[in-house]
Each structure stands twice: as C-alpha cells, then as structure tokens.
Amino acid sequence: MIRRPLVTLLACLLVVTAFGCASTGRVQQQLEAQMRLGDYATAVQTVETERERAYRGKNRLLYYLERGMLLHLSGRYAESNAAFENAKQVGSELYAASITGTGLSLMTNDYALDYAGENFERTLIHLFSALNYEQLGEVDSALVEIRQVGDYLRKLQVDSTNDNTYQEDAFARYLGALFYELGGEYDAALVDYKKALDAYDTYAEHFAVSRPPSLFANAERVAGRLGRWARDDLRDRGSSGVAREIPDGHGELVILHYNGLAPIKDQEMIVLPFNEAWAIVLALQLIGDDQAQQQIARATTYISMLSGVDVVPVAFPKYVSRPYSIAAMEPRLAAATQITGPELVEDIGAIAEKDLADRRARIYAKAVARAAIKYAIQKGAEEAARQASNGDQNQALLVAGTQLLGTIGRFATEQADKRVWSTLPDEIWMTSMIVPAGRHDLEVDFLTAQAGLVESQSVSGIEVPAGGRRFVILRTVK
C-alpha cells in the first residue's frame, strides 16, 4: 500500500535534487580567474568545453551570453555576433515565460526553469552587438541593433510593473544617438539624445550615475543641423546651447572602458514557522496560474495530517560584489585637440542590484510558498505512509528512511537561483577625443583611486575618418 507514494516521493526528490545541483558557479570561478589573467582565448575554450555540461538545457542562454561577451573582448566580432544572435532568439522565446512563469518553481527551486536573462542583460546583448558591427565597419547593421534595443525597451516599459525601476537604459540611448548621428539620421539621433537626458535623471536618482557633461554638448551639435526648433527644444531642457563641434578634417575617437566584473549572485537563507509560510501560499493561490494552483491543492490535501510546529528553510538570491582596484584611466594621444571624460555612462552592477531589490517582494513570496509546499507534501506523504504501515516493522523502517531522505532532500533542494551573465563589466566609462583624420596610436594608463598605476594598454593604427567616429573598446578586471 505504501510503496507507490514512497517511490513517487523519492523520485520527486531525486528530480528536484538534480535541478538543485545544476549550477554554473564553478565555471564562473574559472572564467573570472582566466579574465583576471587576460587569457580570453582560454576563457572562450572553457565556455565551449562546458556547453554540454554546465550550459546545457535550461542554462543554454548563458552559454550564448558568455561566449558572445568573451568573443567580443577577443576581437572576434563576427563570431561574437553569431553567439549574440542565438542569445536574442533564445531570450525572446523565454521572455514571456519569465514574466508569467510561476508554476514548476513552486514545486522545486528556480533552477528547474530556463534562465531567461535579466531585463538589463537583454538590453546589453543589442549594445555589444552594435559595437561588434561598428568594429566590422558595418554601420547599417549596427543601426539595426540600435533600433532593436529601442523596440525591446518599449516592450519592457509595457510589460514591466511599476515596481521595476529599470525600464529605460540611458547608455543605450546615448550610444544609439551616437550611431544614428554616425549614420546621418539626425532626427533619430536627437530623439535618442533627449531620451538619454531623461534616463540619466533616473540613473542619478537610483544608480548614482549622473548625466555625462558631454551629453548636452553632443546633442547641441545634432540640433544645430536640424534647426532652431531643435536648439530651442534642448534649451527648454536646460542646455546652455554650447555645441561640441568636430572641425573639418577631424573625426572623433570614442573610448569605451569596460571596468571590473559585475556582481554575481549568492544566496541567503532564513527559516520561517510553517504556519507563517503557509499563509503566503494561500495569498499566492489567488494570483497563481493553473499549475501553481494544482500544486497548492496537492499540498493542501496533506495539511490536515500535519501536527506540531516546524520551520521551513527559504533561500533568496543576493548580489555579491567582485572587488577590483582600477578606478580611473588616463588616455594619451598626441594629436588629440580635445578630450572629454572619462565619464561613467553605465553602472551595470548598480542596475543589477536595484533590479533584484525591486523584485525582492515577488521573489520572497514565491520562495516562501515553494518551501511551504515542499514541506507540506513531504510531511503529509510521510504521515500517510506511516498510517499505511499498520505496525509492520519492515514498512516502518522504510518509512523512517523515507523521512530522513525527504528532510535531506527538502533542505538540499532549497536553493536560490544564482545564475547570472558573469563576464559582464561592472561599469562602462566613455572618453571622447577629437583628432585629425588619419591613423593614430593610443596609450591608456589605468589607475587606482589613489592614482597608482595598475596597468597600461596601447592600441595602434586606429583609422579615424574625417567627419567620422570610431570606437575603441578596452577591458580591465584588476
């Protein structure tokens, strides 16, 4: 009589334990060590080696994200874009499920769900792709990425709840404006410059990233091409009216400095009395989908069999910073006639932490409900098996073993989802140089906050066309 429920319970525990063990944390550590050595070629190989292990199945989006970023940093831009195209396709397929999916994760931990990427991560896919195309000399393709990120941000603003602070990306708009201007689309450039102005107001409030001083001056340059109405529009927004012009025979060299490593996720554990946890289950039942309600109904059948007071473990994700010492850069290019920056244009770490904090209440409710449901099902099944044993000693031993396995499995499978795009920089800084058209050699020193030299990098033979704009990407993790 008791074998079927016991086997079912054990099978269930094995499944959830398998889900719980799925982790990319070990690979993240390897990649971090390789990036700190500047060994991106080995890091790319590490991701490839782990494709059928850590990155298979529900972690497949992470494979494309990590591979795309490492190839981007290795200068393998076409291959990077191929990976990012796959990331966009997988991310798009999972996007809707990431908004409404609560079913299976109420039975086991979130590793049982496909990793769909954070909202800001999906934005960054397009930005890095656009930069890849610029490095390949394909400005039209870069503009396609810029339009796609605009479409994505509009969709995000429609789909997001008001609880989410991150619904617009200031750097995406600033970079979009620069690309639109590069492509001669001045109306679109001005639109994105103005969206960047608005977005950096939000950034200053929530992410401690102030509006870059260069933003108004660059917007004024485009407004000057569009006419008085555009200049008046910017003055109404607080512009001084001073444009940053590029003289005839000159071009612009834009340095993007990816600094540090974005925080990764860890978990924190708390314990709650079962009665408190079950109250959250009942509240969640009102808004749960059909699958969630079926799971709650199954657990509810066991409630009357529970006795005594117990506690349930609950795991929540949290971000953990990864330290780095570089705080400033000093570029040197002898022919530069004007330099602006460095300016902090994107604080990915701050966005990630705020985005998680905004979702904390929802994550908390789901995690507590999941833990309470697992507790009710395990304890209820144990009680049912005990009653069915009817004094049989062999059956009683089997029940005791099942209780032990059930308790171990319940604690072992209570894990927060710690998956994250681990090769992202913590910050992006931008420096702009006005230089005569032609080939240039660039040298950059990277310094601590106390002006101590950490490392230097050089880039030779940068071709800057007259009236054009070139981007140089530099990466530091020390």
Side-chain angles (χ1 to χ4, degrees):
M1 292 290 291
I2 67 171
R3 288 184 177 177
R4 184 174 179 181
L6 287 174
V7 170
T8 301
L9 177 61
L10 285 169
C12 182
L13 290 172
L14 286 173
V15 170
V16 298
T17 301
F19 282 140
C21 290
S23 171
T24 55
R26 171 182 53 81
V27 185
Q28 288 176 10
Q29 293 177 352
Q30 290 180 327
L31 296 180
E32 178 176 341
Q34 290 157 356
M35 291 182 70
R36 290 190 185 281
L37 294 172
D39 190 356
Y40 295 106
T42 300
V44 171
Q45 188 56 47
T46 297
V47 171
E48 205 57 41
T49 301
E50 294 292 340
R51 180 174 187 178
E52 299 302 323
R53 292 185 293 191
Y55 296 125
R56 69 178 179 177
K58 299 181 184 303
N59 294 339
R60 64 191 185 282
L61 176 60
L62 283 172
Y63 164 76
Y64 294 118
L65 295 176
E66 306 287 25
R67 176 175 169 80
M69 188 66 197
L70 290 167
L71 290 170
H72 173 69
L73 299 173
S74 301
R76 296 161 64 179
Y77 302 115
E79 295 172 84
S80 173
N81 270 345
F84 283 141
E85 279 299 318
N86 284 315
K88 284 190 287 184
Q89 181 176 348
V90 173
S92 178
E93 293 170 358
L94 299 173
Y95 178 72
S98 73
I99 296 175
T100 60
T102 57
L104 186 57
S105 64
L106 292 184
M107 180 58 198
T108 184
N109 62 58
D110 285 343
Y111 284 111
L113 301 175
D114 288 286
Y115 183 73
E118 304 290 358
N119 292 334
F120 66 92
E121 292 178 345
R122 286 190 284 272
T123 300
L124 291 171
I125 293 172
H126 294 288
L127 298 191
F128 295 133
S129 295
L131 290 166
N132 281 337
Y133 282 120
E134 190 278 336
Q135 296 292 305
L136 292 168
E138 301 176 24
V139 175
D140 288 343
S141 296
L143 286 172
V144 171
E145 294 294 335
I146 294 303
R147 293 187 183 94
Q148 287 180 355
V149 78
D151 292 341
Y152 168 69
L153 289 170
R154 280 190 290 276
K155 182 174 176 56
L156 181 62
Q157 290 156 15
V158 171
D159 292 339
S160 294
T161 68
N162 291 330
D163 296 334
N164 289 81
T165 299
Y166 180 83
Q167 298 182 27
E168 181 60 275
D169 195 294
F171 176 55
R173 298 301 187 182
Y174 197 176
L175 192 66
L178 293 172
F179 274 112
Y180 279 129
E181 185 183 0
L182 188 61
E185 299 184 31
Y186 300 120
D187 287 299
L190 184 64
V191 169
D192 265 19
Y193 274 128
K194 291 192 291 186
K195 287 182 177 178
L197 289 167
D198 295 338
Y200 274 115
D201 290 342
T202 302
Y203 271 36
E205 180 180 357
H206 295 286
F207 309 135
V209 177
S210 301
R211 177 187 296 169
S214 64
L215 187 51
F216 260 135
N218 284 334
E220 284 285 356
R221 181 179 57 243
V222 169
R225 293 177 178 272
L226 294 173
R228 181 172 179 176
W229 66 269
R231 295 194 297 272
D232 290 344
D233 191 352
L234 291 179
R235 286 181 180 80
D236 290 343
R237 293 170 177 270
S239 173
S240 65
V242 177
R244 183 167 181 263
E245 300 292 351
I246 300 176
D248 291 341
H250 288 64
E252 183 181 21
L253 179 62
V254 178
I255 304 168
L256 294 177
H257 172 205
Y258 303 167
N259 192 29
L261 287 165
I264 55 175
K265 289 177 184 171
D266 200 343
Q267 70 177 13
E268 55 183 323
M269 298 285 296
I270 66 170
V271 291
L272 284 176
F274 174 75
N275 289 340
E276 291 183 19
W278 189 251
I280 293 178
V281 173
L282 297 178
L284 191 63
Q285 186 178 23
L286 299 176
I287 59 173
D289 59 16
D290 291 343
Q291 191 177 18
Q293 292 188 27
Q294 289 173 9
Q295 293 167 358
I296 294 171
R298 183 186 173 204
T300 302
T301 62
Y302 291 119
I303 292 297
S304 62
M305 299 181 182
L306 304 182
S307 61
V309 177
D310 204 349
V311 295
V312 293
V314 185
F316 305 99
K318 65 176 183 180
Y319 275 108
V320 178
S321 298
R322 290 185 282 182
Y324 53 92
S325 59
I326 291 174
M329 69 169 176
E330 288 185 356
R332 297 190 301 278
L333 197 155
T337 60
Q338 183 186 130
I339 300 176
T340 61
E343 300 168 321
L344 179 61
V345 291
E346 188 87 323
D347 190 333
I348 295 172
I351 292 172
E353 292 181 8
K354 176 61 176 169
D355 195 54
L356 182 61
D358 288 344
R359 293 182 285 117
R360 183 174 176 80
R362 282 169 281 163
I363 294 172
Y364 177 88
K366 195 166 72 171
V368 170
R370 178 182 66 220
I373 290 170
K374 284 195 299 184
Y375 175 88
I377 291 175
Q378 180 212 339
K379 290 295 184 181
E382 290 171 0
E383 179 60 21
R386 188 191 65 77
Q387 292 176 9
S389 68
N390 197 26
D392 185 308
Q393 289 189 348
N394 290 333
Q395 295 287 21
L397 286 173
L398 186 56
V399 169
T402 301
Q403 289 174 335
L404 177 61
L405 284 175
T407 301
I408 293 173
R410 184 162 54 85
F411 276 79
T413 57
E414 183 52 39
Q415 294 186 39
D417 188 351
K418 295 182 285 186
R419 292 173 293 182
V420 66
W421 186 357
S422 71
T423 50
L424 285 175
D426 191 45
E427 303 172 330
I428 299 178
W429 292 77
M430 186 165 75
T431 300
S432 171
M433 295 178 161
I434 304 298
V435 299
R439 294 175 68 86
H440 297 278
D441 298 331
L442 173 69
E443 295 183 346
V444 183
D445 289 337
F446 296 95
L447 313 171
T448 65
Q450 294 75 36
L453 179 64
V454 179
E455 67 172 284
S456 299
Q457 295 184 24
S458 60
V459 183
S460 302
I462 308 166
E463 186 73 37
V464 180
R469 176 177 292 124
R470 289 297 311 277
F471 288 83
V472 171
I473 298 162
L474 301 176
R475 182 70 168 107
T476 62
V477 297
K478 295 179 181 176

